[in-house]
Amino acid sequence: MGRGTLRIYLGAAPGVGKTYAMLSEAHRRVERGTDCVVAFVEHHARPRTEVLLHGLEQVRRSEISYRGAVFTEMDVDGVLERAPAVALVDELAHTNVPGSRNAKRWQDVEELLKAGIDVISTVNIQHLESLGDVVESITGVRQRETVPDEVVRRADQIELVDMSPQALRRRMAHGNIYQPDKMDAALSNYFRPGNLTALRELALLWTADRVDEYLQQYRGEHNIRTTWQARERIVVGLTGGPEGRTLIRRASRMAAKGSGSEILAVYIARSDGLTAASPKELAVQRTLVEDLGGTFHHVIGDDIPAALLEFARGVNATQVVLGSSRRKTWQYIYGPGVGATVARESGPDLDVHIVTHEEVAKGRGLPIARGARLGRARILWGWLVGVVGPVLLAVVLRSMEDAPGLANDVLLFLFLTVAAALLGGVRPALASAAVGSLLLNYWFTPPTHTLTVQDPENLVAIVIFFAVAVAVSSVVDLAARRTHQAARLRAESEILSFLAGSVLRGETALDALLERVRETFAMESVALLERRSDVEPWTCAGSVGPAPVSRPDDADVDMPVGDNLALALSGRVLPAEDRRVLGAFAAQAAVVLDRQRLVGEAEEARRLAEGNRIRTALLAAVSHDLRTPLAAIKAAVSSLRSDDVAWSDEDEAELLEGIEDGADRLDHLVGNLLDMSRLQTGTVTPLIREIDLDEVVPMALGGVPEGSVDLDVPETLPMVAVDPGLLERVVANIVENAVKYNPGREPVAVAASALGGRVELRVVDRGRGVPDEAKERIFEPFQRYGDAPRGAGVGLGLAVSRGFAEAMGGTLDAEDTPGGGLTMVLTLAAAPGGGRADPELPARVTS
């Protein structure tokens, strides 16, 4: 009998529908005539899951007594005796009750599989043994029931049951997962949107790894030896041309096909002046690749193929994406091109993709960064063609039996002179004209093998040849210079236009501008230096690149902007013609720096205006909210001092109680005003120490009516690092606020829980709640939401509470209460080394 097959439904959290999917599959198999039984399925009182159990045969469970209680577990012997074709076994990671046949349910499943029974089971991602630490760091809960990863990986089929966090929380709020008495606690702790999103990502990534294993298994079975990379690191080579966007999007589509793929766009700039790319186009491509989740890199190198391959191997890339050459056919005389060279030298470990685009063969254009200067390779080829070419041509012509004649010889030598001018400029062309004239005179003009010319016509031909060669080479060189200069001016105009556009758009990112300077001029680092006067030292206002200079004198290039500001560049010395554009960058950097400071001053002015608004609100509060209790106190005191009325003991007690209430209100209002003043002036200095939350929270509830609060603070929570006095004020304010707006049908719930390295205190009321657009506004000073009466306070309680919470390194936020109401979430940092909650201890300490 062969081994049975194992199919597992994997989920990110309880309630996503694993058991439901398993039972649905069982019904489909039964309808097809498969012998399928329920070995163990727990429906957890979920009505829709319980309905699916109807119509399926269930194997009777075994009963085990443990510590005076009776538990039910799967009856392995009963299932083996029944010997179905398929057995449904829920909760694969379950720990069996002591005294069971096996310690773990997955061991029970192994016995069924060995007996040839196919098993369908379920498991949550948090129960995988290897993910225990990761899940604990996310949720703050250590999973005690785990299953070895290898057990799940050996499954013949794994199906992911996926559900968005929002949908799962809605399912929870509708009561489809837990009972109503457990709903609020689950939603505010384990089933938080952040926790569910992280667990969902873990499930997706783990399933993707399993898909990779299936792929490797398939390749092994089919003896496939070529490389199939499931996770890729893709390098996109950019030239700064318009085809770059196409290449980036193509690489993004390639990366999307494999989980964990990474895109790295790289631009190789020459080290001899302005880059050959449009800065505006490069900026657009940088933004595009970052929007697609990749990174942009700027590398300097004269040998572009070598620099690109060095970068790709340095980042451990698996693929390189390049565009088809924009060269015209005749331009291939300069070399095979970057794409062909990279493909030839990439080796077997690096795949090269040549992507077609709309700019193919439309012409690459001349380098716009080099002015009238030509590269070393071009100049070398010019001298070879101009000097060695005529010698080789002379040897070839002398070896021919039928000479073409002096006129044709002159034309052939003239062709080499023109070619030398095109490649290397005027100097190789002049040398070619001189060498050609000498060779024509020595080898082809009678008398041969001498430098004399017997026939005047031949002399005229040689002189005309030399003159034409010089004239043609000069014209060709001049045209090349003018073309380079026009292209350079076009590049400069693009840069200046981009700078002007950034001024109009109000861009204020100094680092981005300095980075653009570094890329444009192929520099290692750029720094903007300033000083207050000629005698004070320089300070750095902003810099990019490694090891920026601290003084203009230490830079390779410095561009002063006024008397006390300078742009300092390190990497190489710029030619004079580049300084004009650099000056525009320097002026723009000064504008950006001034704008940043103006923004700071505007922010300071806004703070002052906010202070004025608070002072105005304070005057309004003093004029009404403070005078109201004072008026009540004065009226009560005047009544008690009156000799005209004989007050009874009950009346005197009532008047004294009114005086006490008014004094308490005054004390509370003045305390909040003083606290707000301390927060505004930044004089709140928390005295942080480690303390248990249950030592502070009960003390903060002294000001609320008895029975109005349901307190749930587990004793097993880790200690928190807070200022106890400030924490008590925070809790008191938010609880009093919740009680004030709670309709009274049920008490305000105050519950605490531990989540990772933090502790949360949630204050839940069932009032009318607060709209999303007003949730932040209620934390502003002197804000009272809705139709709160004037006597309800000056609107400082929540503002003071958030200020104190942030002063202690915590946060205070507002959330909707499921079912209606508002939940205040106070998050505090757990003390270093604070203990974790022990689930064996009771959770509730007071009510």
Side-chain angles (χ1 to χ4, degrees), residues 197-215:
T197 301
L199 292 174
R200 185 188 189 196
E201 183 178 14
L202 281 178
L204 291 170
L205 291 176
W206 196 92
T207 307
D209 288 336
R210 180 57 175 153
V211 172
D212 286 342
E213 293 177 12
Y214 280 130
L215 178 62

Side-chain angles (χ1 to χ4, degrees), residues 395-673:
V395 172
V396 171
L397 292 176
R398 289 292 297 175
S399 63
M400 296 175 61
E401 295 183 359
D402 298 328
L406 182 60
N408 292 327
D409 295 341
V410 169
L411 292 176
L412 291 174
F413 279 98
L414 182 61
F415 171 78
L416 291 178
T417 301
V418 173
L422 290 172
L423 289 173
V426 67
R427 293 182 180 179
L430 293 176
S432 177
V435 172
S437 300
L438 292 175
L439 291 176
L440 284 171
N441 187 5
Y442 188 81
W443 289 100
F444 304 102
T445 304
T448 58
H449 303 95
T450 66
L451 296 178
T452 60
V453 180
Q454 182 176 0
D455 189 347
E457 293 181 359
N458 293 336
L459 178 61
V460 172
I462 293 175
V463 171
I464 293 175
F465 162 75
F466 185 80
V468 170
V470 170
V472 170
S473 61
S474 299
V475 171
V476 171
D477 181 73
L478 181 61
R481 288 174 181 271
R482 292 290 184 264
T483 301
H484 282 295
Q485 290 171 1
R488 179 183 181 81
L489 291 174
R490 185 182 69 221
E492 291 183 3
S493 65
E494 285 187 1
I495 294 171
L496 296 175
S497 174
F498 186 76
L499 283 177
S502 65
V503 173
L504 295 176
R505 290 188 298 269
E507 296 180 358
T508 57
L510 181 61
D511 290 344
L513 178 64
L514 296 181
E515 180 64 26
R516 192 168 293 121
V517 174
R518 190 176 75 90
E519 293 177 358
T520 299
F521 296 99
M523 289 293 180
E524 295 179 0
S525 64
V526 179
L528 183 62
L529 307 176
E530 65 173 342
R531 60 182 178 181
R532 295 185 178 180
S533 64
D534 295 342
V535 296
E536 293 192 18
W538 291 92
T539 60
C540 182
S543 64
V544 294
V549 299
S550 57
R551 298 187 310 160
D553 296 340
D554 299 332
D556 293 317
V557 180
D558 70 285
M559 175 61 65
V561 186
D563 296 330
N564 301 318
L565 197 67
L567 194 63
L569 293 77
S570 300
R572 63 185 182 85
V573 178
L574 283 181
E577 57 267 27
D578 286 351
R579 294 182 66 87
R580 178 174 56 186
V581 178
L582 180 60
F585 272 111
Q588 175 65 3
V591 171
V592 170
L593 182 62
D594 289 341
R595 185 180 290 121
Q596 284 185 345
R597 289 176 175 167
L598 289 174
V599 170
E601 294 175 0
E603 179 63 22
E604 180 65 22
R606 188 198 63 78
R607 286 201 314 108
L608 293 175
E610 178 67 14
N612 289 332
R613 187 188 69 82
I614 291 177
R615 281 191 288 273
T616 303
L618 176 59
L619 291 175
V622 170
S623 66
H624 185 281
D625 295 281
L626 294 181
R627 292 180 63 184
T628 300
L630 278 174
I633 293 172
K634 180 174 176 56
V637 171
S638 299
S639 299
L640 288 173
R641 295 190 62 188
S642 175
D643 297 332
D644 300 336
V645 181
W647 301 102
S648 64
D649 293 341
E650 292 80 3
D651 293 335
E652 287 184 358
E654 184 177 350
L655 290 172
L656 289 174
E657 183 180 357
I659 293 173
E660 185 178 11
D661 290 341
D664 289 340
R665 287 179 59 189
L666 278 176
D667 180 68
H668 181 73
L669 291 172
V670 172
N672 276 338
L673 289 171

Side-chain angles (χ1 to χ4, degrees), residues 721-803:
V722 296
D723 182 318
L726 294 184
L727 177 59
E728 184 177 346
R729 292 291 305 277
V730 171
V731 176
N733 279 346
I734 59 179
V735 171
E736 290 174 7
N737 187 76
V739 171
K740 182 190 307 180
Y741 289 99
N742 200 49
R745 294 190 303 272
E746 54 184 295
V748 170
V750 179
S753 60
L755 298 169
R758 61 193 188 276
V759 174
E760 284 192 352
L761 183 71
R762 305 178 75 86
V763 179
V764 183
D765 69 62
R766 295 293 180 176
R768 55 198 174 91
V770 175
D772 292 339
E773 61 271 13
K775 283 188 173 62
E776 284 300 313
R777 194 166 64 249
I778 61 176
F779 292 103
E780 297 178 3
F782 303 103
Q783 294 292 324
R784 290 179 295 189
Y785 176 69
D787 55 354
R790 295 292 299 176
V794 295
L796 285 176
L798 293 180
V800 169
S801 298
R802 171 173 276 190

Side-chain angles (χ1 to χ4, degrees), residues 65-224:
S65 298
Y66 178 68
R67 293 185 177 181
V70 178
F71 299 89
T72 60
E73 295 288 358
M74 181 174 68
D75 186 357
V76 179
D77 291 329
V79 178
L80 292 175
E81 182 179 354
R82 171 64 175 76
V86 179
L88 307 183
V89 183
D90 205 5
E91 299 177 357
L92 185 64
H94 172 73
T95 301
N96 293 330
V97 176
S100 300
R101 181 189 186 101
N102 297 299
K104 291 285 190 177
R105 184 164 293 166
W106 64 264
Q107 295 171 330
D108 297 338
V109 170
E110 282 293 315
E111 289 197 35
L112 300 182
L113 294 173
K114 289 179 181 178
I117 300 174
D118 295 342
V119 176
I120 304 177
S121 187
T122 65
V123 70
N124 283 327
I125 192 67
Q126 63 265 30
H127 294 298
L128 295 182
E129 198 168 76
S130 65
L131 299 178
D133 294 336
V134 178
V135 173
E136 182 181 11
S137 66
I138 294 170
T139 65
V141 179
R142 183 69 183 187
Q143 297 294 333
R144 299 186 179 275
E145 291 189 332
T146 60
V147 58
D149 288 46
E150 185 59 30
V151 173
V152 182
R153 289 184 182 276
R154 285 202 307 263
D156 299 275
Q157 186 175 352
I158 298 177
E159 183 171 335
L160 179 65
V161 182
D162 189 29
M163 177 175 287
S164 69
Q166 295 79 10
L168 184 56
R169 282 173 59 86
R170 284 196 301 270
R171 178 180 287 184
M172 171 74 74
H174 292 159
N176 294 332
I177 300 177
Y178 291 152
Q179 296 301 315
D181 59 334
K182 299 181 180 179
M183 184 194 312
D184 288 342
L187 285 172
S188 60
N189 290 279
Y190 196 86
F191 283 78
R192 292 162 55 86
N195 291 355
L196 297 178
T197 301
L199 292 174
R200 185 188 189 196
E201 183 178 14
L202 281 178
L204 291 170
L205 291 176
W206 196 92
T207 307
D209 288 336
R210 180 57 175 153
V211 172
D212 286 342
E213 293 177 12
Y214 280 130
L215 178 62
Q216 294 301 327
Q217 179 181 352
Y218 175 85
R219 286 162 47 78
E221 293 174 353
H222 293 78
N223 197 27
I224 300 174

Side-chain angles (χ1 to χ4, degrees), residues 32-74:
R32 294 196 299 266
T34 304
D35 182 16
C36 182
V37 302
V38 176
F40 189 96
V41 169
E42 186 61 61
H43 57 74
H44 296 290
R46 298 169 187 169
R48 297 189 179 184
T49 304
E50 188 176 1
V51 168
L52 282 180
L53 284 171
H54 299 162
L56 295 177
E57 179 185 349
Q58 301 186 43
V59 177
R60 183 180 179 85
R61 301 182 185 182
S62 62
E63 296 183 351
I64 301 174
S65 298
Y66 178 68
R67 293 185 177 181
V70 178
F71 299 89
T72 60
E73 295 288 358
M74 181 174 68

Side-chain angles (χ1 to χ4, degrees), residues 288-335:
L288 176 60
V289 72
E290 291 174 352
D291 289 343
L292 293 175
T295 56
F296 184 90
H297 302 268
H298 183 271
V299 177
I300 299 173
D302 290 324
D303 189 343
I304 293 179
L308 182 60
L309 288 173
E310 181 180 358
F311 174 83
R313 294 189 175 106
V315 299
N316 197 27
T318 57
Q319 299 186 55
V320 175
V321 175
L322 300 173
S324 297
S325 179
R326 285 183 286 136
R327 291 181 174 190
K328 293 184 179 296
T329 304
W330 64 269
Q331 289 179 315
Y332 281 96
I333 63 173
Y334 301 131

